[in-house]
Structure formats: C-alpha cells, structure tokens
Amino acid sequence: MSTTKPPHIALLPSAGMGHLMPYFRLAVMLAKRNCVVTLVTAQPTVSAAESDHISSFLHHNPEINHLELQLTPSSQQADSAPVDPFFLQFDLISQSIHLLGPLLSSSSLPLSAMFVDFVLLAKTAPIAKDLHIPMYAVSTTSVQFLSLMAYAPVLASNLTEFNTASTEIKIPGLPPMAMSSIPPALLDPSHIFASIIVANAQALPGAEGILMNTFEWFHESMLSALNKDRVMASLPPILPIGPLEPYHIPRDGDHFYRSWLENQPSESVVYISFGNRTAMSQDQVRELEKGLEKVGWRFCWNLKTTKVDKDDHDDVEDILSDIFLKRTKNKGLIIRGWADQQEILAHPAIGGFVSHCGWNSMMEAAWQGVPVLAWPQHGDQKVNAKAVEEAGLGLWERDWDWGLDRIVKGEEIERKIVELMTDEKLREGARKVREESRKAVESGGSSDRVLNNVINSVVVPF
Ligand code: UDP
Ligand code: UDP
C-alpha cells in the first residue's frame, strides 16, 4: 500500500480585499482537506481592511502558517500622475518577488505547490521552477473576463484595429464581447493595468491550471468551450472550485446592523454595496439618495466615498443630506466602514443586492440566492454583469454605463430597484442558482471533485 504525506501548499494573493478574501476561504478549505497551508502576504498592505483581516484570520485559524513578504517603498515620483494604489501594489509585489524564494525556503516543510494570483504569475513562475513545484494560477474574476485577459496579448498587438471600428471583440470559439464592456484601460497600451494583464497572460500557459471561484453549472458553455473544445489551446485547464465556502468571521462586537436587520420583514431590504475599493462620487450619492427616498423598499447602504478605506474620514452627516437622513430614518440603514457582507447577504431580511459586480460579491449572492441589480463601475465588472444576467441571477441596465462616465438619475434607480425586488422570475432564477451552487460544493459535487483532484495531483508519495 502506498503512503502519502499531506501536501504543503503556499498561497500568494495580491492586493485588495477582493483578492484576499478568496485566499482566506481557500486556505480553510485546503486545511479541512488535510493540506498544510502557508499564506504569504505582502507588507505593508494598501487598505486597513487587509491588515485587520490578516491578523484576525491568522489569530482564529492558527493551523494556517504565515510568511510576510516585506515590500520596498514605491519609487513613484510625487509629481507623477496618480495611479490606482492597488495597481501600484501589484507592481510593487512583483518587484519584491525575488524575496519570495528565500522566504519560502525558510519554511521547515518542503512545498508541494504554489497557488498564485493571476497578476503575480509572470514573476513567480521562475521561483516555482527553481523549487521544482507546480504553480497554479488563481483568478478572482468570471470565466468570461479571464478569457479576455488571456486574449489580451493578441489585443495588444492589434490595438489600432480594435480601437477604431470594432463594436465587438471576437475571441475565436467564444461568444463575442461588446466593445463597450471592455475596460478602457485594457485597450490603452500605456496604462499600468494593460501592461500587468498582458505580461501575466503570457505566463498563463506555464500554470498547471487556473483555479476559479465559480462552478461548472454557472459557466457551463464557457467551460465546455475552453476545457473540452480547447478553443484557446495554450490555456491550461480552468478549475472551477466555487463558490468558495464562506469561512467563519468572528463577530466584532454587536454591530448595529445585526439588530437592525433582525427587525426587518423577510426579503424587504435592498442591500447596496460597491465592494471594498470603489468610491461613489458626491453627484451619484445625491441621485442614489433621491432613488432610495422614493422607493417603497427598505435599504441597507454600505457607503464608501474613497478608494482606500484609510482615506475615509467623513461621517455619514458629512456625506448625506440632512433631509434624506430625516425622511428615511425608519426605513434605511447606512453602514460606514467594514461590514460582514457574507453575513448580511445570508440574512432573510435581504431581498435584493445592488452591486458593482465584483466577482466575490457575485459568488456570495449566488451562494445565498439573492437577486442582483448589476451596476458595474470599472474593471471586469461589465463582463461579470453579463455573466450574472445570463445565469439568471441578476438584471443589468446597460444604459447606466461605467460609474465614472454617467450619473444615473434617482428615478432610474428607483425604477430598477422596484424591478429587482418584484420580479418573481428573477427571484426564482436566483433560487435555482443557489441550489446549483450548493450542489457544486457538497461532497462529490463538481467543485468538490475538482479541488480534491488538484490536491491529489500535488500529493507527494513517500
Ligand atoms: N466585503 C465585505 N464588507 C465590506 C466590503 C466588502 O465583507 O464592507 C467583502 C465582500 O463580501 C467581498 C469582498 O469584500 O468578499 C469584495 O470583493 P468583490 O470582488 O466583491 O469587490 P472588490 O472590493 O474587489 O471590488
Ligand atoms: N486582477 C487579478 N488580480 C489582482 C487584481 C486584478 O487577477 O490582484 C484581475 C482580475 O481578473 C480582476 C481584474 O484584473 O477581476 C480587474 O481588476 P480590478 O482590480 O480592476 O477589479 P477588482 O477585481 O478589484 O474588482
């Protein structure tokens, strides 16, 4: 009888809660399956939410090992154009990656594999090679957006053609994508986002597989085209292992939103959140106030007006108008700062979710079967919105465009929220998505099998 020892897997996330949360979940899922897990995090982090959650996660999950990659400060000139601090951080982590080899070698147990964020692949590949271990990519977006990123090197070499007349991008073998859904930064060769995506897409073929927070049913035809028909032949297999199971987040005292939600009728509240790194403009805040004031539904609004939480010093009263606060006192709750979204979405009072379509949020909505009103703001979010609409989990008003390009009027918001909260077909669709998501992760389900196969393939016999 052959014996094996548990695999030791290093996890390397990049920056932002949207790219950290999935690793916490994955770490717990792997540890439950008897893997030894080492989480490598970059220091300092961009947001306070990241550093707070790293300490709390490690404190409550002592079985997870931790290594810190110390970053050298950015050399960005004070007078140069401001760059998204999260993009700068991807770059900074990549520049410090030479420290990763020695750091990993300091671990007493030899490594069996590395699971690495898509944006760090190119720089990490040589280290995995030196250590003679397989490297898996972790992609935190929809399969549709991943395919677009994988195609980015082709786009980059044909930019004039794509930028002029095209209304669609046609990746051979896949459904066309509307040009209006492509983040403009991806089509701008001088943009840091485009250079990061292109460089790392070129490293994708070197990965053993691409772990994704989704499930077979949700992306069936895309997965069939990519994995079975091999329409992008250089791509390694896409490995849907989601929805990543919510891990236990200890309660940080008795936050007021808990008691507020307890007092609301079932499915009566619309939850509004644009994730952890999307600021809403003052003009848009005014219009959302108008919509929420008029709409007949209760609301819970997770309000963020800065990209990085450390910069957010305003109180509710500094941002929202007195009149709005007075008129909605009995039907609305404003949250400032971090709130446990997985817990909010799980609450029976929540009947709909107005979301920017960050992919973690979408898989959390799928898991809970909460219908989504898609309001994509930037990045992968329009492509994600379409995937959510196609799966029957959400509505998307394309006219609303990107967050920065259009202020959506209060009346339009009101109309769409009514649709979100009253559309029975959508509610039924969301319930079906919930059912399928749970089947995927149960023992023997599609995502469970994929993850177990990955673990078995990195197990070391002895
Ligand atoms: N999140 C949360 N509370 C907040 C803000 C965000 O729990 O106040 C979580 C949310 O549930 C999700 C992640 O942070 O797991 C944000 O990731 P997503 O991909 O949805 O959006 P991003 O912040 O990356 O734009
Ligand atoms: N991306 C990634 N890792 C990162 C940051 C970005 O793989 O650390 C990819 C990913 O596909 C993501 C897309 O780039 O969804 C758009 O990134 P952005 O940071 O604009 O959006 P977010 O995912 O934070 O909502």
Side-chain angles (χ1 to χ4, degrees), residues 17-19 21 25 140 271 273-278 302 304 337-342 356-362 364 378 381:
M17 279 309 287
H19 302 279
M21 203 62 134
R25 292 176 173 160
T140 52
Y271 175 60
S273 174
F274 285 1
N276 188 237
R277 41 156 308 200
T278 301
N302 191 333
K304 293 200 193 319
W338 187 266
D340 182 352
Q341 178 170 298
Q342 73 183 26
H356 69 317
C357 295
W359 196 248
N360 295 286
S361 291
M362 293 305 89
E364 288 158 15
H378 57 86
Q381 298 157 13

Side-chain angles (χ1 to χ4, degrees), residues 181-360:
S181 290
I182 311 302
L186 191 61
L187 302 172
D188 173 359
S190 65
H191 200 289
I192 181 173
F193 180 72
S195 53
I196 290 173
I197 301 294
V198 169
N200 289 292
Q202 282 161 341
L204 269 175
E208 287 300 307
I210 309 170
L211 297 160
M212 297 198 68
N213 184 11
T214 189
F215 50 108
E216 185 72 40
W217 180 92
F218 199 95
H219 277 119
E220 203 172 6
S221 63
M222 284 295 292
L223 288 171
S224 169
L226 292 162
N227 283 348
K228 295 204 183 90
D229 304 340
R230 310 282 311 136
V231 300
M232 296 180 96
S234 66
L235 265 196
I238 295 181
L239 305 165
I241 56 165
L244 298 176
E245 288 165 39
Y247 72 97
H248 174 69
I249 301 179
R251 290 183 164 213
D252 50 346
D254 217 7
H255 206 295
F256 62 96
Y257 62 79
R258 296 200 174 101
S259 46
W260 186 86
L261 283 172
E262 280 310 308
N263 291 315
Q264 311 308 317
S266 169
E267 295 185 352
S268 67
V269 177
V270 53
Y271 175 60
I272 303 146
S273 174
F274 285 1
N276 188 237
R277 41 156 308 200
T278 301
M280 189 177 282
S281 70
Q282 263 305 331
D283 288 345
Q284 189 59 74
V285 166
R286 289 284 158 268
E287 293 301 325
L288 188 47
E289 280 183 336
K290 287 185 202 160
L292 291 175
E293 192 185 318
K294 285 222 190 93
V295 82
W297 298 91
R298 293 156 204 246
F299 62 85
C300 173
W301 181 2
N302 191 333
L303 172 63
K304 293 200 193 319
T305 52
T306 61
K307 197 179 251 297
V308 179
D309 55 9
K310 290 173 186 163
D311 301 334
D312 207 341
H313 307 298
D314 291 336
D315 291 328
V316 173
E317 294 76 19
D318 301 323
I319 306 166
L320 299 176
S321 70
D322 296 345
I323 190 126
F324 169 77
L325 289 171
K326 207 185 292 154
R327 287 187 184 153
T328 58
K329 196 167 78 206
N330 295 323
K331 71 165 191 176
L333 180 78
I334 309 296
I335 298 178
R336 300 277 292 141
W338 187 266
D340 182 352
Q341 178 170 298
Q342 73 183 26
E343 185 192 342
I344 294 177
L345 289 176
H347 200 285
I350 301 297
F353 182 14
V354 177
S355 171
H356 69 317
C357 295
W359 196 248
N360 295 286

